[in-house]
Amino acid sequence: MLERGEVANSWRTQRWESLRLLTPNWQSRLPALRYEGADPDGYMTVPEVVDFIGRFAKLSAAPVRSSVTVTSVQRVDGDYLVATDRGKFRCQAVVVASGACNLPTVPSLTDAVPQSITQVTPFDYRGPAQLPDGGVLVVGASATGVQLAAEIRRSGRPVTLSVGEHVRLPRTYRGRDVLWWMDASGVWDQRYDEVEDLTRARRLPSPQLVGTPERSTLDLNALSETGVALVGRLATVRDGAALFSGGLRSLIALADLKMDRLLDGFDEWARVDGRDADVDPPERFAVTAMPERPRLQVDLRSGEIRTIVWATGFRPDYRWLDVPVVDAKGQLRHEGGVVDSPGLYALGLPVLLRRKSTFIHGIEDDAREVIGHLAGYLAGRK
Ligand SMILES: Cc1cc2nc3c(=O)[nH]c(=O)nc-3n(C[C@H](O)[C@H](O)[C@H](O)COP(=O)(O)OP(=O)(O)OC[C@H]3O[C@@H](n4cnc5c(N)ncnc54)[C@H](O)[C@@H]3O)c2cc1C
């Protein structure tokens, strides 16, 4: 196992200070390692995640070679030649487990943003104190965007949130964590080959959730109540002005509709599975309040906005992979983790084998299947 940093490197180096997992403690399950602390319904802080993954590395005695950066992987005579900053390896098979979120995705229109504006990605952001005083435009309203918008607003700065496609979820539903429902009802176990539109499912933004001790819901209504101004999707930056799409109303309506459909599915599962007595009665949440007149543009030269936070997603980085298996969109071509090159495998990508594939608790089932295939491949080579 080659790791360019230390075990849990992404959690040590690429997360903001206040971040907690949005998955509850009881759900952080790894093979033979379960959360056994006093707060199973709480949410781990980043140092706690680092500790948890570190404990798993010790427990599993994984042969990790840390501080080794892979610089190239090539296919040579049916094997793979792996070049690193600490020498070369020749191997029969390679598992690409380098993560789905190596780089922040930032739209190309950053170049058109006036120089007076500070631009920050979630990888640079540590906390509001590092930002200049004044207004902040947060672009993107998925898990990262809503969490950063809320935190920056609490620091007293005016915050405008540009809302694109998003997934609305309540933190708790019928008295249970909404992720308990995803887990218990089997939504998270749904396999990639059962998903209706796999391409879409793999691109689905992360849900609007935050892990707080209060188990609070962080949706657009909660943000509006704190004074965050909602605007539509950022369409472009032209002549120093940020221009927002007029489609906010339909995006909000769609997210509300999809949330209700998911909750309907949970209710149906509880009824059929005989769980109604274990949970509170069904509930529905207020529709998302549409701002009266959402602004369609903001002049970025006026001084109103001093910072833009690009919470526009993350992507993997395969610049080191010299095997022609990456498509035009920068994604690995694979079938359930079996990459389109003999002996090459992947883990930890969105809906790799199941809906839970990118979550900490999703790795166990996926790894078992992918490594099963790999073992068969190696046996076949003998
Ligand atoms: C902001 C954020 C919040 C998240 N919150 C949650 C959550 O609440 N719950 C949850 O279950 N999941 C969450 N996730 C998903 C989380 O990242 C995964 O659950 C988990 O960290 C994925 O582990 P991984 O090993 O697949 O990828 P990573 O953690 O990204 O690990 C990949 C490793 O590969 C190393 N690497 C990459 N390239 C090279 C190279 N060329 N050479 C050598 N080493 C290399 C990296 O240093 C890194 O350590 C979150 C992700 C992000 C970005």
Side-chain angles (χ1 to χ4, degrees), residues 32-364:
L33 183 64
R34 299 280 183 272
Y35 175 85
E36 278 167 2
D39 187 17
D41 291 326
Y43 309 91
M44 284 184 207
T45 61
V46 170
E48 287 168 342
V49 179
V50 170
D51 179 62
F52 185 75
I53 297 176
R55 272 195 287 141
F56 180 69
K58 284 208 185 84
L59 189 74
S60 62
V64 181
R65 295 198 194 181
S66 49
S67 304
V68 180
T69 301
V70 175
T71 53
S72 139
V73 171
Q74 288 174 300
R75 189 155 162 80
V76 176
D77 301 332
D79 285 344
Y80 290 95
L81 196 60
V82 178
T84 78
D85 59 353
R86 299 280 184 96
K88 290 188 173 157
F89 299 81
R90 190 170 178 130
C91 34
Q92 299 182 35
V94 172
V95 181
V96 179
S98 49
C101 303
N102 304 121
L103 298 168
T105 307
V106 177
S108 56
L109 45 86
T110 52
D111 293 346
V113 171
Q115 298 234 319
S116 56
I117 303 272
T118 302
Q119 300 188 54
V120 179
T121 73
F123 278 14
D124 322 318
Y125 177 87
R126 288 294 171 270
Q130 101 198 62
L131 306 182
D133 286 338
V136 179
L137 171 64
V138 177
V139 183
S142 294
T144 301
V146 295
Q147 290 182 28
L148 299 192
E151 170 167 279
I152 295 168
R153 180 71 197 115
R154 279 197 299 275
S155 75
R157 291 171 177 78
V159 174
T160 303
L161 178 63
S162 167
V163 179
E165 187 194 352
H166 57 278
V167 177
R168 181 184 177 197
L169 283 184
R171 179 71 266 183
T172 56
Y173 181 60
R174 300 180 66 179
R176 299 286 186 115
D177 196 293
V178 74
L179 300 185
W180 175 85
W181 288 91
M182 300 278 280
D183 202 61
S185 69
V187 171
W188 252 345
D189 283 322
Q190 192 185 20
R191 290 183 60 91
Y192 77 110
D193 43 11
E194 295 165 358
V195 172
E196 216 169 275
D197 185 345
L198 184 59
T199 309
R200 210 184 128 63
R202 285 184 169 157
R203 275 197 308 222
L204 203 65
S206 57
Q208 290 173 336
L209 281 177
V210 63
T212 58
E214 303 78 30
R215 302 174 92 195
S216 45
T217 290
L218 185 57
D219 56 13
L220 297 181
N221 282 346
L223 287 168
S224 296
E225 277 164 26
T226 65
V228 170
L230 307 182
V231 295
R233 192 170 181 281
L234 179 63
T236 192
V237 176
R238 193 182 304 140
D239 300 330
L243 307 184
F244 304 106
S245 132
L248 180 60
R249 185 181 297 278
S250 51
L251 283 175
I252 280 177
L254 189 64
D256 283 359
L257 180 82
K258 286 192 174 164
M259 178 182 71
D260 283 345
R261 269 201 211 137
L262 184 73
L263 302 182
D264 287 344
F266 292 160
D267 292 342
E268 173 66 6
W269 165 79
R271 196 183 55 75
V272 172
D273 214 58
R275 305 289 189 108
D276 275 332
D278 307 336
V279 288
D280 294 345
E283 50 185 326
R284 285 297 173 267
F285 301 91
V287 296
T288 303
M290 176 70 187
E292 254 176 44
R293 266 190 301 275
R295 294 168 75 182
L296 293 175
Q297 64 170 313
V298 169
D299 183 357
L300 297 174
R301 291 168 306 196
S302 69
E304 177 191 347
I305 300 287
R306 299 288 310 282
T307 306
I308 297 181
V309 178
W310 296 105
T312 31
F314 302 95
R315 60 194 165 96
D317 181 3
Y318 297 125
R319 282 174 294 189
W320 48 271
L321 188 54
D322 297 317
V323 185
V325 288
V326 180
D327 70 17
K329 295 214 161 105
Q331 302 297 331
L332 264 193
R333 277 200 314 276
H334 70 91
E335 180 69 25
V338 181
V339 181
D340 201 6
S341 176
L344 197 58
Y345 296 87
L347 281 170
L349 301 180
V351 202
L352 183 105
L353 273 159
R354 295 169 179 80
R355 281 198 187 268
K356 63 183 178 185
S357 292
T358 32
F359 290 88
I360 290 170
H361 70 285
I363 191 64
E364 181 169 0

Side-chain angles (χ1 to χ4, degrees), residues 2-4 9-11 15-16 21-23 68-70 97-99 101 320 348 358-360:
L2 306 180
E3 166 57 57
R4 63 184 167 190
N9 186 53
S10 62
W11 288 96
R15 306 287 188 260
W16 57 96
L21 288 189
L22 50 77
T23 41
V68 180
T69 301
V70 175
S98 49
C101 303
W320 48 271
T358 32
F359 290 88
I360 290 170

